[in-house]
Amino acid sequence: MMHALIQREDGFSGTQTGPDIADLTPFLTHAEIDVPTPGPGQALIKVHLAAVNPSDIHFIKGEYGQPRRRGVPAGFEGVGEVIAGDTALIGHRVSFFATASGTWAGYALTDASGLVPCRADLAVTDAAGQLVNPLTAIAMFDMIRNSGADSFIVNAAGSQLGKLLIALGRDYGIQPIAVVRRAEQAAALKALGAAHVIVTRDPDPLDQAQAIFESLKPCILLDAVGDQFTADLFFAMPSGARWINYGKLSTDAPKLTQLGQLIFQAKQIEGFWLTRWMKQADPARIPEAFSEIQKRFVTGKWTTDVAGIVPLSAAMEKLPQVLAMPDGKAFIDPRA
Amino acid sequence: MMHALIQREDGFSGTQTGPDIADLTPFLTHAEIDVPTPGPGQALIKVHLAAVNPSDIHFIKGEYGQPRRRGVPAGFEGVGEVIAGDTALIGHRVSFFATASGTWAGYALTDASGLVPCRADLAVTDAAGQLVNPLTAIAMFDMIRNSGADSFIVNAAGSQLGKLLIALGRDYGIQPIAVVRRAEQAAALKALGAAHVIVTRDPDPLDQAQAIFESLKPCILLDAVGDQFTADLFFAMPSGARWINYGKLSTDAPKLTQLGQLIFQAKQIEGFWLTRWMKQADPARIPEAFSEIQKRFVTGKWTTDVAGIVPLSAAMEKLPQVLAMPDGKAFIDPRA
């Protein structure tokens, strides 16, 4: 048997309420259930530490791109030791994305083909969150490099993913323009490598943006917010701009006030989903990316800001408080 | 000297009022001006007949992708005889897009490289409108064919361009789904080759669309309207759908109510502009396309519905009435 946070609902909710959550009880139950059994092609992992990403919250609310499964543990991402299954990695420490039974549990079940062995010197918090954010950062930054850009825009830039992207921009000489809500976030992001920080709560963020865009001419906007200000930024960008949406922190339905720019300025709006990227990417790029990811964490080019590690036994009560903190990432420890 | 409808304003207006026009006098003046003189690489054409397209109206209002030029004749498109210039086509009848001095005049000036010689059996109304709509239809239909689609959606389907696209779908076996405002338009479009016609003024157009999309699974939406219903159609389309906007008949600013579909369903929103396509297309495709265009008109696979031919001398007064007619294309005859 194992302890787990299991889903209370099936399928999609049809709502769009964003990533905030004050109470887990409508969506999850803390329960003791059977340890899952690996089938063909699967691996069973004893979870050391599980990540909590915005996509997890969207998912348990029934607002993500995959349907919920009642009675199955939640949690997409984690690190642990392979205990059993169809793999040569038994006994190894791996990072993984749980496809069959989630990581917010003592044990998780996933496709054996997706296991990512971890360097011994990789910290457990870096290892627990090595897939969703770092691989998304690498994949989206590949698009930026392939586009030949000299600069790019990233919003929700104070998020873990935002900071990973800023550090990549710094290291590859592609100037990051960071968009954040709170002025207090600006100094840390500039220290990290942001060329400019636009604060949306300032009185004139769009004027600031326009002045910056005139000199840097950014053509890629990596968007985790999806609000009207993001649309306004897009329409302030130069010809050829791409608005790449990969998250929905806002519940706005942004208006396309300058649709003609798509015609006359060759602008376009698209989405990025890591799950699709992994299916379509050059297969050699993925192990190469994980090698780069682990090296970046171990050498300090990337860091994981920890908001808090919540014991699984107390997660129903305490996780919302940690998620409400303005900075850093939340984790669940299933061994506590 | 020549008679011409010359522009009264320079540059852009900053407004977005759509393609309707009740009065030309804020934007144009009927004047007698000097016949322009061709410079290096230019050709002077005695205009036989000029087309009036929605883009002309957007342009004179200062709402198009190019700035107005005060004192210069309006009118993008027409047919006429080459009189002088840097070309071997002097004395030939050509269709052309006026880049230097517009077609709503006795004589027009354009780049000699863009002249399109006309077959002798091509009717003057087909020849006058052979570039903007037919070449756009060919170019966008190339995208549909290249995508491997079995069906596509076209709105403002009762427009000249809409009908050209429906006929292409019919002839190449790619099922057109036509979107129109008025139920009276449906029968003619079905007779022309539309597989289905969605009438937006019906009580349940989105339900109709959803039922059609379930069987045909169209992945390309060719949009000349840009209103909220178009956005709703896009979000009702299957995974991988592309919303390709090429015109703005509506003054709506459509809301992206399901932005997450760009992430999870790989949908995207882009624009099409013939001017850009002509710069980027395989250079061999353009003369090939004009050969196909003229053949299609001469053999009756395409027809030009004429709403009215207005003498240039009476155009200031009469053109708005012809443009207000629900179907067919308006022309200006500069010889009358």
Side-chain angles (χ1 to χ4, degrees):
Chain A
M1 300 291 284
M2 66 180 188
H3 288 269
L5 303 183
I6 62 172
Q7 301 164 65
R8 296 186 63 166
E9 304 286 344
D10 269 311
F12 302 103
S13 63
T15 55
Q16 286 188 63
T17 60
D20 294 334
I21 197 154
D23 181 11
L24 298 174
T25 55
F27 310 112
L28 298 178
T29 308
H30 181 192
E32 206 169 351
I33 60 172
D34 286 333
V35 172
T37 309
Q42 292 185 322
L44 181 70
I45 297 119
K46 179 169 170 54
V47 182
H48 294 170
L49 193 66
V52 180
N53 292 303
S55 52
D56 289 304
I57 307 304
H58 290 299
F59 175 73
I60 63 174
K61 288 169 140 185
E63 303 179 355
Y64 196 63
Q66 292 161 233
R68 293 173 292 185
R69 290 183 300 147
R70 189 178 169 150
V72 175
F76 286 132
E77 188 179 27
V79 62
E81 182 186 338
V82 184
I83 297 298
D86 226 355
T87 170
L89 290 170
I90 292 172
H92 286 256
R93 187 173 73 132
V94 296
S95 297
F96 64 102
F97 191 88
T99 56
S101 182
T103 59
W104 298 356
Y107 296 83
L109 199 62
T110 193
D111 291 339
S113 62
L115 303 175
V116 179
C118 297
R119 288 169 58 149
D121 53 358
L122 185 68
V124 66
T125 46
D126 297 333
Q130 133 163 245
L131 278 85
V132 172
N133 284 327
L135 193 57
T136 299
I138 293 279
M140 295 200 300
F141 200 74
D142 276 358
M143 295 196 296
I144 292 169
R145 288 163 74 190
N146 292 339
S147 77
D150 301 316
S151 65
F152 65 100
I153 305 167
V154 52
N155 65 13
S159 70
Q160 175 68 7
L161 182 46
K163 287 183 276 194
L164 300 180
L165 286 162
I166 290 168
L168 282 167
R170 171 199 70 203
D171 294 339
Y172 286 91
I174 303 179
Q175 296 194 72
I177 302 166
V179 181
V180 294
R181 280 187 296 185
R182 293 172 294 116
E184 309 88 88
Q185 297 172 286
L189 297 184
K190 278 195 178 156
L192 186 62
H196 296 276
V197 180
I198 297 164
V199 177
T200 61
R201 287 182 184 165
D202 277 359
D204 58 350
L206 203 58
D207 294 341
Q208 290 179 34
Q210 271 156 342
I212 294 163
F213 296 176
E214 259 175 46
S215 63
L216 292 189
K217 306 201 185 310
C219 276
I220 291 188
L221 165 58
L222 300 178
D223 167 37
V225 180
D227 64 352
Q228 189 59 46
F229 183 72
T230 306
D232 295 344
L233 271 185
F234 173 64
F235 291 122
M237 289 169 71
S239 290
R242 292 163 67 190
W243 171 2
I244 302 173
N245 175 255
Y246 69 90
K248 193 76 177 85
L249 295 176
S250 158
T251 55
D252 264 17
K255 280 189 289 187
L256 299 179
T257 54
Q258 307 278 337
L259 194 57
Q261 291 192 359
L262 277 63
I263 303 175
F264 300 122
Q265 298 189 28
K267 293 191 178 186
Q268 64 179 49
I269 311 172
E270 57 199 281
F272 176 85
W273 193 24
L274 185 63
T275 303
R276 185 168 60 248
W277 180 84
M278 289 181 75
K279 287 177 192 157
Q280 296 174 345
D282 173 359
R285 182 64 184 129
I286 295 173
E288 190 183 271
F290 283 119
S291 169
E292 182 176 352
I293 287 167
Q294 296 189 25
K295 191 174 172 191
R296 289 187 65 86
F297 279 119
V298 169
T299 58
K301 286 188 175 168
W302 273 348
T303 54
T304 301
D305 293 338
V306 179
I309 298 177
V310 180
L312 189 138
S313 58
M316 290 297 297
E317 187 194 345
K318 292 193 175 160
L319 185 59
Q321 299 160 30
V322 176
L323 290 171
M325 291 175 67
D327 292 302
K329 199 169 159 68
F331 296 90
I332 293 173
D333 182 352
R335 298 186 288 190
Chain B
M1 300 292 280
M2 66 177 188
H3 287 269
L5 303 184
I6 62 172
Q7 301 163 67
R8 295 186 64 166
E9 303 287 343
D10 269 312
F12 301 103
S13 64
T15 55
Q16 285 188 63
T17 61
D20 294 334
I21 196 155
D23 180 12
L24 298 174
T25 55
F27 311 111
L28 298 177
T29 308
H30 181 191
E32 205 169 352
I33 59 172
D34 286 332
V35 172
T37 308
Q42 291 187 321
L44 180 70
I45 297 121
K46 179 169 169 53
V47 182
H48 294 169
L49 193 66
V52 181
N53 292 304
S55 52
D56 289 304
I57 307 303
H58 290 297
F59 175 73
I60 62 174
K61 288 168 138 185
E63 302 179 355
Y64 196 63
Q66 293 160 233
R68 294 173 293 184
R69 290 183 301 147
R70 190 179 168 150
V72 175
F76 285 132
E77 188 179 28
V79 61
E81 182 186 336
V82 184
I83 297 298
D86 225 355
T87 169
L89 289 171
I90 291 171
H92 286 256
R93 187 172 73 131
V94 296
S95 297
F96 64 101
F97 190 89
T99 55
S101 182
T103 59
W104 299 356
Y107 296 83
L109 199 62
T110 192
D111 290 339
S113 61
L115 303 175
V116 179
C118 298
R119 288 168 58 148
D121 53 359
L122 185 68
V124 67
T125 45
D126 296 334
Q130 121 159 259
L131 278 84
V132 172
N133 284 327
L135 194 57
T136 299
I138 293 280
M140 294 201 299
F141 200 73
D142 276 358
M143 294 195 297
I144 292 170
R145 288 162 74 190
N146 293 340
S147 78
D150 301 315
S151 66
F152 66 100
I153 305 167
V154 52
N155 66 13
S159 69
Q160 175 67 7
L161 182 47
K163 287 184 277 196
L164 301 180
L165 286 162
I166 291 169
L168 283 167
R170 171 197 71 202
D171 295 338
Y172 286 91
I174 302 178
Q175 296 194 72
I177 301 166
V179 181
V180 294
R181 279 188 297 185
R182 294 172 293 115
E184 310 88 87
Q185 299 171 285
L189 296 183
K190 278 195 178 157
L192 185 63
H196 295 277
V197 179
I198 297 164
V199 177
T200 59
R201 287 182 183 164
D202 278 358
D204 58 350
L206 203 59
D207 294 341
Q208 291 179 36
Q210 271 156 341
I212 294 163
F213 296 175
E214 259 175 47
S215 62
L216 292 190
K217 306 202 185 309
C219 276
I220 292 189
L221 164 58
L222 300 178
D223 167 37
V225 179
D227 64 351
Q228 189 59 47
F229 183 72
T230 306
D232 295 344
L233 271 185
F234 172 64
F235 291 122
M237 289 170 71
S239 289
R242 291 164 66 191
W243 171 2
I244 302 173
N245 175 255
Y246 69 91
K248 194 76 179 82
L249 296 175
S250 158
T251 54
D252 265 16
K255 280 187 290 187
L256 298 179
T257 54
Q258 306 279 337
L259 194 57
Q261 291 192 359
L262 278 63
I263 304 174
F264 300 122
Q265 299 189 27
K267 293 191 177 185
Q268 63 179 49
I269 311 172
E270 57 198 283
F272 176 86
W273 193 24
L274 186 62
T275 303
R276 185 169 60 248
W277 180 84
M278 290 182 73
K279 286 177 193 156
Q280 295 174 344
D282 174 0
R285 182 65 184 129
I286 294 172
E288 190 183 89
F290 284 119
S291 170
E292 182 176 353
I293 288 167
Q294 296 189 25
K295 191 174 171 191
R296 290 186 65 85
F297 278 120
V298 169
T299 58
K301 286 188 176 170
W302 274 349
T303 53
T304 301
D305 293 337
V306 179
I309 298 177
V310 180
L312 189 139
S313 57
M316 289 298 296
E317 186 193 345
K318 292 192 174 161
L319 185 59
Q321 298 160 31
V322 176
L323 289 172
M325 292 176 66
D327 291 302
K329 199 170 158 68
F331 296 90
I332 293 173
D333 182 352
R335 298 186 291 190

